[in-house]
Amino acid sequence: MPTDPVPQMMEAIRLWSGVTSPNQAAQRGLADLAALIAEFEAVRGTLVFEDEPSSFEAALREEAEKRA
Amino acid sequence: MSDLTNLSVTEAVDAFAKGEATAEAMVRASLARIDAHDGKVNSVIRLDRDAAIEAAAAQDKARAAGAKPGPLSGVPMMNKDMYYRAGKVSTCGSKIRKDFRPTVTATVLQKLDAAGAIDMGTLNMAEFAQNPTGHNGHFGDCHNPWDLAYCTGGSSSGSGAGVAARFFAAALGSDTGGSIRLPATICGVTGIKGTMTRVSRAGVMPLSFSMDNVGPLTRTARDAARIMTVISGKDPLDPTSAPEEVPDYEAALTGDIRGLSIAVPKEWFFDGADDVVVKGFEAALGVLKARGAKVDYVSCPSLHAVGTYVTVVSRVEAAAIHAQWMREHPGDYAIHLSGRLYAGYAIPGHYYVETLSRRGPLLRQFCKEAFAGHDIVATPTLRTRVPTLAETDIDASPDNWARHMVVSANTRPFNYLGIPTVSVPCGFDDRGLPMGLQLSARPFAEGRALQVADAYQRDTDWHARVPAL
């Protein structure tokens, strides 16, 4: 039988961040994360081992419009 | 001169420079219009009436003494209440910061001051800039000047509504997921977010370090170009600001777009789009084609990954920024905001790292898909008709969250991609609310996007229409 992940997530947030659920809407927000997990599953495997965050600023400059 | 509140930024500067209108007269006209109508719109948080009149009078005196006008001399402006001015309260649209008095002044405000703009005060906004509709329970919702039952778009709600209502000629907004372009399109004005890092963020409330942008909402693309030229550039106080040279963006506004090529992505931007929006968008493309631009529909498969990753960055970064307040007084946030922030703590660190790691490669891929052989990417700014305030009130019902995500669906991708994007008014829907055309260009090509926006506005008058208040 599947376990409701929301209580586990609430406990993890309390443990890691010291933040407790402020209201019912927050718990609803946790439940909605299932959609995000599914979206990440869909793009799994696209991250290349050598990719690193610092490449973004370099990409901005490389992709800039070349002046005539 | 008849109604000074009808002057655009560049018209106001010209009138001031020629002695046809004084700065004080323009400021007094703005204040009078705010007094007459803002009770309905609720765009203003703080009005610095006396200081504005005093600053305007000082400019008039300097001009009379022979001082050369600046690029924004005499222009009445107000700005989203998240740009710090030393000693003045900056609420950030929140209860938590209702008494916050910063000790620094934002670099962008200093640049506007130096250019001659008259700062009349601060504007309503979504709490901590974190919703796309402009709802604010602390200061009251801002209302759309075209129909008060409808939302303004957010988070720069007061900026969009106030410019549309002719309360002032221009306003700064900020854009992390569409917060300049959404109120621009929904209120029927022009807005631009530049390339990521193009404008300094020193002295500006942070929402998301990786995706926050500063930019103006104005009536015309020319006004936006004028202000972007003033505020862009490297700032020693913001180490992340780009060192690239800032061109005179107005110089690119020739009206000539013959031979320019426009790409329209087939993916993402039309999913669930309302027919009236698609028709309005296609009509706008027709205007650009008539001016000599070429339009192609292109496939951009990268957008699915972009759409996945973009929400993670701002949610995790906002959760980190707000962690201490979320521990100490979560009840001081609106229900929807504390709920949104809370979910950010559940997103694993490796998701965040993956999201940032994929950003550069996805930008390269998107540019290959969209900009190979094309100069501009065009989309509707908002894929649906403008929703009412009630339809999108997520404090009243969490079910309205899905509508929030739809509101910003077409703007968010360009924050992740970091490319400059303009929104211009392109008509009205069947309920009489504005629609917007979104134009994006390659990194650091703000001038290109503004060039096309300006060309479009030469053949249309949507941006010149005034709501009846």
Side-chain angles (χ1 to χ4, degrees), chain B residues 255-329:
Chain B
D256 185 2
I257 57 169
R258 287 172 299 174
L260 283 190
S261 182
I262 297 169
V264 180
K266 294 175 185 170
E267 293 84 357
W268 187 266
F269 298 98
F270 299 93
D271 296 348
D274 286 339
D275 287 346
V276 66
V277 171
V278 176
K279 283 179 186 157
F281 172 70
E282 288 171 347
L285 292 180
V287 172
L288 296 173
K289 282 196 266 192
R291 274 221 162 230
K294 187 166 78 77
V295 175
D296 295 314
Y297 283 77
V298 300
S299 184
C300 299
S302 62
L303 283 166
H304 294 295
V306 170
T308 296
Y309 289 129
V310 63
T311 56
V312 169
V313 183
S314 60
R315 295 189 76 172
V316 172
E317 291 183 354
I321 290 168
H322 286 268
Q324 196 61 25
W325 289 329
M326 280 292 285
R327 290 184 200 104
E328 292 174 353
H329 30 91

Side-chain angles (χ1 to χ4, degrees), chain B residues 348-364:
Chain B
H350 69 87
Y351 271 36
Y352 178 68
V353 171
E354 177 175 335
T355 294
L356 291 183
S357 299
R358 294 290 297 140
R359 202 176 181 194
L362 279 169
L363 171 61
R364 291 187 180 94

Side-chain angles (χ1 to χ4, degrees), chain B residues 84-440:
Chain B
Y84 303 160
R85 188 175 287 284
K88 297 270 193 182
V89 172
S90 184
T91 69
C92 306
S94 70
K95 178 180 178 185
I96 288 171
R97 283 204 147 177
K98 68 181 171 53
D99 299 317
F100 170 63
R101 288 181 191 271
T103 56
V104 299
T105 298
T107 296
V108 281
L109 291 189
Q110 293 183 46
K111 287 186 171 187
L112 292 175
D113 293 345
I118 309 290
D119 185 350
M120 304 198 305
T122 66
L123 296 171
N124 207 346
M125 57 183 283
E127 183 179 5
F128 288 115
Q130 294 206 41
N131 72 57
T133 54
H135 283 83
N136 188 312
H138 305 298
F139 293 91
D141 296 337
C142 191
H143 295 261
N144 194 313
W146 292 96
D147 187 328
L148 300 173
Y150 286 80
C151 81
T152 56
S155 61
S156 310
S157 53
S159 306
V163 172
R166 302 324 194 230
F167 292 161
F168 31 82
L172 288 183
S174 70
D175 194 317
T176 304
S179 289
I180 288 172
R181 291 160 288 152
L182 287 170
T185 188
I186 291 173
C187 294
V189 301
T190 302
I192 178 171
K193 78 153 207 79
T195 306
M196 187 69 228
T197 70
R198 178 78 286 193
V199 181
S200 167
R201 296 174 291 173
V204 183
M205 181 210 83
L207 190 176
S208 165
F209 310 116
S210 300
M211 300 211 300
D212 290 340
N213 292 271
V214 171
L217 291 92
T218 57
R219 290 171 210 162
T220 68
R222 181 169 293 279
D223 287 357
R226 174 78 57 96
I227 293 176
M228 283 299 286
T229 303
V230 167
I231 64 175
S232 299
K234 181 69 182 170
D235 175 15
L237 297 177
D238 176 2
T240 67
S241 59
E244 272 71 9
E245 187 187 340
V246 179
D248 176 0
Y249 293 122
E250 261 183 286
L253 310 185
T254 60
D256 185 2
I257 57 169
R258 287 172 299 174
L260 283 190
S261 182
I262 297 169
V264 180
K266 294 175 185 170
E267 293 84 357
W268 187 266
F269 298 98
F270 299 93
D271 296 348
D274 286 339
D275 287 346
V276 66
V277 171
V278 176
K279 283 179 186 157
F281 172 70
E282 288 171 347
L285 292 180
V287 172
L288 296 173
K289 282 196 266 192
R291 274 221 162 230
K294 187 166 78 77
V295 175
D296 295 314
Y297 283 77
V298 300
S299 184
C300 299
S302 62
L303 283 166
H304 294 295
V306 170
T308 296
Y309 289 129
V310 63
T311 56
V312 169
V313 183
S314 60
R315 295 189 76 172
V316 172
E317 291 183 354
I321 290 168
H322 286 268
Q324 196 61 25
W325 289 329
M326 280 292 285
R327 290 184 200 104
E328 292 174 353
H329 30 91
D332 286 349
Y333 291 98
I335 291 170
H336 73 269
L337 180 52
S338 58
R340 181 180 190 274
L341 290 168
Y342 184 68
Y345 300 107
I347 298 173
H350 69 87
Y351 271 36
Y352 178 68
V353 171
E354 177 175 335
T355 294
L356 291 183
S357 299
R358 294 290 297 140
R359 202 176 181 194
L362 279 169
L363 171 61
R364 291 187 180 94
Q365 189 181 337
F366 179 79
C367 286
K368 199 176 291 179
E369 293 165 352
F371 287 118
H374 299 99
D375 305 287
I376 289 288
V377 169
T379 72
T381 315
L382 174 68
R383 65 175 67 165
T384 65
R385 297 186 299 175
V386 175
T388 64
L389 280 162
E391 285 168 342
T392 45
D393 183 354
I394 43 177
D395 283 336
S397 169
D399 290 338
N400 289 332
W401 176 253
R403 295 210 62 150
H404 270 227
M405 295 306 285
V406 171
V407 167
S408 59
N410 280 14
T411 50
R412 294 195 306 265
F414 298 111
N415 293 81
Y416 184 74
L417 293 167
I419 59 178
T421 306
V422 182
S423 180
V424 292
C426 72
F428 292 84
D429 67 24
D430 49 342
R431 297 189 291 200
L433 276 297
M435 302 187 294
L437 167 68
Q438 190 170 230
L439 302 163
S440 302

